[in-house]
Amino acid sequence: KKKARVSCSLPEPSWEERLANAVTPLWRLPYQEQLQVKYESQRKILQTLASRLEELGIDAQKPGGLCCPLQPVVPSPIINGYRNKSTFSVNRGPDGNPKTVGLYVGTGRKRNIVCVKANHVENIPSKHKQVAQCYEEFISHSPLDSCILFHEGGHWRELVVRTTSCGHTMAIITFHPQQLGQEALATQKALLKEFFTCGPGAVCDLTSLYFQESTMTRCSHKQSPYQLLHGAAHIFEELLGLKFRISPDAFFQVNTAGAEVLYQAVRDLCQATGDAVLLDICCGTGTIGLSLAHQVSKVIGVEVVEKAIEDAEWNAAFNGISNCEFHSGKAEAVLPQLLASWEDARPLAAVVNPSRAGLHYRVVRAIRSCRSIRRLLYISCKPEGEAMRNFLELCCPPDPRKKLTGERFAPVLAIPFDMFPHTVHCELLLLFTR
C-alpha cells in the first residue's frame, strides 16, 4: 500500500506579517544578529570594490579581500519607532477597501499590489500610525474616490508624516485635482482643516497641515506648491546642540538619533580644522556643514532643493553661524563652476551625501580636478548601487578620455551605521584620501 502523504505546509502568513517581511525583513532577528547580517553585507560590498579596482590595475586588496579596513556596524541609539518621516499610500486593502491607508505589499509588475495598514510595522512611530488612521477615517467619509490610477479618476492620494524630537508633527496630503474647479478644491481643503483641527483628527495635534495638488507621481514645491492649511510653516528639530528648521520636502536623515552619531563620526574623520574650508555637497538643510562650522573657517553647501537651502540659511542665522554660504541648484551645474576657479590656499575637505542615484559624473570630475581636495567623505545609503560607480570614478587611474584627469583617490576606512534597524539597509561612511 502507498503511504499517505503528510502535508507539512506552513500556514499562510497574515497580511501584517507579509507587510513586516516586505518593509522590515530583519524584524524577527535579535538586534545583535541584525548588525552581524549588515556587517557581512557591507564586507561583500568592499570586496566587490576591491575586485573592481583590481580590474582597473589598482592593487587594492587588503586583509580579507577588502579595499580598506571595515569597522563594526555602529548601532542605532533607537531601534523601534525611529523613523521621523513616513510615506503612506492609498489603495485597495486586503478586504477590498479602496481607501485603505498603509504600505504596499506586492509589485506593480505582477499586478498584485495590496495596501496594508502599517499598525504593526516596528520602525514606524505610533504618532505616524495615528495620523494615517485618522486620514483613512477622513477619506472613508468623503464622497470623493481615492486615486489609485491617474487615468481612472479619483482624488485622495499619499500622506506624508514628519515628526521631530521636539514634539512637532507635520502632515502632507497629496490630492489629484482631476477636473475639480477652485471652489470644489477650496471645499475639500476646508473639510480637511476642520477634521484635523476640530474633528476626530484633532487628536493628532498637528503642528502643520499641508495640501498639495499633484497630477504626477512625485511633485516638487516648485512644480506644485505645498499649501499650508493649518499651523506653522515649518517644524523644528534639535541635533548636536543646534536647532534646524524643516520644510515639507527638505531632506533630513530619517533617524535623528542615528544621524547625531553619524555626524559626530564625520566631524572626527573630516580632520578639517582651523583655516580649512568644508565643502558640503547635497547638504539638505545644512545639518552636516552647520555641525562642523565651529571648527573650520568656512562651510560651502550645495543643494538642489530650493526650500532646503532656505532652511539651511535660516538654520545658520538662527544658530548664530556666520561662516556658511549655501548654493541652490544641481550639484553638477554649481560645483564645476565653483571649483574651476578655486584659488583659495586654505585646505579643502569635502563631504558628499547624495541620494540613491549617486553623484552626477560631472560632480566626480570636478572633485578630482580640484587639487585642494585631499580628503573626501562619501555617505551612502546604497553603496552597492550607483554609489559604486562613483567609488570607481574617484579611484580609477587618470583617464583623459573621460576627463578624469586629477589625481585619483584611495579608500582608507569604512564605517557602517545602522540608520535603519529591522531593514537590510545600512548607511556606509567611506573615507577617501589622496
Side-chain angles (χ1 to χ4, degrees), residues 391-410:
F391 301 158
L392 296 171
E393 290 166 349
L394 288 165
C395 299
C396 70
D399 187 344
R401 293 173 304 168
K402 296 181 179 179
K403 298 184 180 179
L404 291 169
T405 54
E407 180 188 352
R408 73 178 190 87
F409 285 86

Side-chain angles (χ1 to χ4, degrees), residues 212-225:
Q212 187 186 40
E213 300 164 31
S214 173
T215 58
M216 296 178 280
T217 305
R218 285 286 181 272
C219 200
S220 68
H221 173 79
K222 197 170 185 179
Q223 292 165 318
S224 180

Side-chain angles (χ1 to χ4, degrees), residues 237-277:
E237 184 57 280
E238 292 180 1
L239 193 75
L240 295 175
L242 301 174
K243 191 170 184 177
F244 293 93
R245 185 179 89 172
I246 302 172
S247 294
D249 60 344
F251 171 78
F252 202 91
Q253 285 284 359
V254 78
N255 181 338
T256 304
E260 285 197 306
V261 178
L262 171 63
Y263 295 164
Q264 284 170 333
V266 169
R267 193 160 59 187
D268 295 339
L269 288 176
C270 200
Q271 293 185 4
T273 56
D275 64 344
V277 176

Side-chain angles (χ1 to χ4, degrees), residues 46 59 64 94-95 144 171 195 208 283 338 365 388 390 412:
L46 296 188
D59 182 14
D95 59 356
L144 301 182
F195 177 86
S208 312
C283 67
L338 192 68
R365 199 163 69 191
M388 181 65 72
N390 289 159
V412 175

Side-chain angles (χ1 to χ4, degrees), residues 178-403:
Q178 301 292 357
Q179 308 304 318
L180 290 184
Q182 287 305 308
E183 190 175 333
L185 283 167
T187 299
Q188 295 308 315
K189 287 185 271 189
L191 289 170
L192 260 175
K193 179 180 178 180
E194 182 183 10
F195 177 86
F196 278 105
T197 56
C198 309
V203 68
C204 299
D205 191 23
L206 295 182
T207 310
S208 312
L209 174 61
Y210 274 98
F211 183 86
Q212 187 186 40
E213 300 164 31
S214 173
T215 58
M216 296 178 280
T217 305
R218 285 286 181 272
C219 200
S220 68
H221 173 79
K222 197 170 185 179
Q223 292 165 318
S224 180
Y226 291 95
Q227 303 169 45
L228 182 64
L229 302 187
H230 163 72
H234 307 90
I235 55 175
F236 296 88
E237 184 57 280
E238 292 180 1
L239 193 75
L240 295 175
L242 301 174
K243 191 170 184 177
F244 293 93
R245 185 179 89 172
I246 302 172
S247 294
D249 60 344
F251 171 78
F252 202 91
Q253 285 284 359
V254 78
N255 181 338
T256 304
E260 285 197 306
V261 178
L262 171 63
Y263 295 164
Q264 284 170 333
V266 169
R267 193 160 59 187
D268 295 339
L269 288 176
C270 200
Q271 293 185 4
T273 56
D275 64 344
V277 176
L278 177 70
L279 187 59
D280 187 3
I281 305 168
C282 310
C283 67
T285 55
T287 46
I288 294 177
L290 291 171
S291 66
L292 272 70
H294 68 283
Q295 67 184 46
V296 297
S297 63
K298 187 178 183 179
V299 173
I300 302 173
V302 179
E303 169 62 41
V304 67
V305 179
E306 287 184 23
K307 283 292 180 182
I309 286 293
E310 290 179 19
D311 288 345
E313 290 171 341
W314 185 94
N315 293 333
F318 182 84
N319 289 287
I321 298 171
S322 58
N323 62 337
C324 295
E325 66 178 52
F326 297 99
H327 298 262
S328 175
K330 291 182 178 179
E332 59 268 28
V334 175
L335 198 66
Q337 191 175 2
L338 192 68
L339 294 181
S341 57
W342 188 266
E343 295 178 353
D344 199 314
R346 290 177 290 183
L348 181 61
V351 178
V352 300
N353 187 16
S355 66
R356 293 187 178 190
L359 293 174
H360 192 281
Y361 180 74
R362 289 204 295 270
V363 176
V364 177
R365 199 163 69 191
I367 290 171
R368 281 195 56 153
S369 298
C370 183
R371 294 180 181 179
S372 298
I373 301 176
R374 314 303 298 172
R375 202 170 184 88
L376 171 70
L377 284 168
Y378 195 122
I379 303 168
S380 175
C381 61
K382 195 176 181 182
E384 72 278 15
E386 289 302 307
M388 181 65 72
R389 169 181 55 81
N390 289 159
F391 301 158
L392 296 171
E393 290 166 349
L394 288 165
C395 299
C396 70
D399 187 344
R401 293 173 304 168
K402 296 181 179 179
K403 298 184 180 179

